Amino acid sequence: MKYPICATCGVQYGEPREDCPICLDERQYVGWDGQRWTTLEELRAAGHRGRIEEEGEGIIGVGAEPPTSIGQRALLVRTPSGNVLWDMITLIDDDLVRQVRELGGVSAIAISHPHYYGSMIEWAHAFDAPVYIHEADRQWVARPDDAVRFWSGDTLEIGDGLTLINAGVHFAGGQVLHWRDGEDGEGALLSGDILQVVQDRRWVSFMWSYPNFIPERPRTIRRALRLLEPYNFRRVYGAWWRRIVYADGKAAVQRSYDRYLDFALDDGRPA
């Protein structure tokens, strides 16, 4: 079966349908030309190819060129206990699978939030790897499959020193991945756009809806920072190529939170 893919968000569905619920939600949007669909076969025929580049020590970017849909790239975290593919893209082909196998393959997949579900089941089947999704986002899984492992609670260890944290920003099940041994043992945080690394890459930000500019609730961000408090990290890896806070990552998240609240909650400024 040629599974349909929403051309706007890049998520693959398990059966044909008229609409994309992920794009109908206020955190995304239906394309200006209306709902359009594609398939992996059509993307390959249009010339989309895999892109593999190092993004950090032990962290390899996995993307497409030209980009598809939202344009994010995934990250392959290479560890002695097995590689984890963090986040997801829409494209997958034989050459991309071969290149990832040469890097050690994929032992587990974890995805920050529904906008990046892409072709996660195709990747799971290619590498016989489970896909870790937080239970709070179960309703958004567009192609149900036994490969998906729903988890609940605040944290889940999916490998030696690899911990999923349910930050809950952007989506109730929004999760980030902490790699304890990354950055020479100083730690790395892979955030997708749960914590969005912004253009000034000393900072992150927090949004309910990025395309529609709806800010996240301060109480949600406070909970996320409480959960992150026990974890140290020097770098924060965002969702796009080179969107990385390269140093002082944990402090950058804290000062970003302080700045966010200063603007969001200060109602005493002159009109």
Side-chain angles (χ1 to χ4, degrees), residues 225-252:
L225 263 68
R226 285 198 301 271
L227 290 176
L228 288 172
E229 178 56 36
Y231 301 93
N232 294 317
F233 46 94
R234 184 173 76 195
R235 284 191 178 186
V236 182
Y237 288 83
W240 284 271
W241 295 103
R242 299 180 65 191
R243 286 287 192 94
I244 300 167
V245 177
Y246 284 96
D248 207 23
K250 187 167 185 176

Side-chain angles (χ1 to χ4, degrees), residues 117 133-142 149-151 173:
Y117 285 173
I133 301 290
H134 195 274
E135 173 71 29
D137 283 346
R138 178 189 287 266
Q139 72 183 91
W140 301 107
V141 172
R149 307 259 183 99
F150 294 106
W151 68 280

